[in-house]
Amino acid sequence: MSEERLRILHMLSEGKLTPDEAEKLLSAMEKDSGKMENIRETQPSLYQDFVS
């Protein structure tokens, strides 16, 4: 499992993401072959939470 996927799941378990937000992030990762570029473009506020 990729580090990005684990981080999203961890943020979900901590309540920092809703299930819907986590699903959107994971879907964006899959569509973009694991690259964070699509997430940054489609979910900028979530991307900032994710990388900070």
Side-chain angles (χ1 to χ4, degrees):
M1 191 173 292
S2 73
E3 184 177 333
E4 291 90 2
R5 181 178 291 271
L6 288 174
R7 188 157 182 195
I8 291 169
L9 295 174
H10 183 71
M11 291 173 71
L12 175 62
S13 72
E14 291 180 325
K16 293 181 178 179
L17 294 174
T18 67
D20 187 54
E21 291 169 331
E23 181 180 13
K24 287 178 183 177
L25 288 169
L26 292 169
S27 292
M29 283 179 53
E30 288 175 14
K31 289 178 184 176
D32 204 31
S33 302
K35 295 179 183 177
M36 297 300 287
E37 298 301 317
N38 193 33
I39 296 170
R40 181 169 40 113
E41 293 172 7
T42 61
Q43 302 288 325
S45 62
L46 292 177
Y47 178 82
Q48 286 303 316
D49 290 343
F50 184 74
V51 297
S52 58

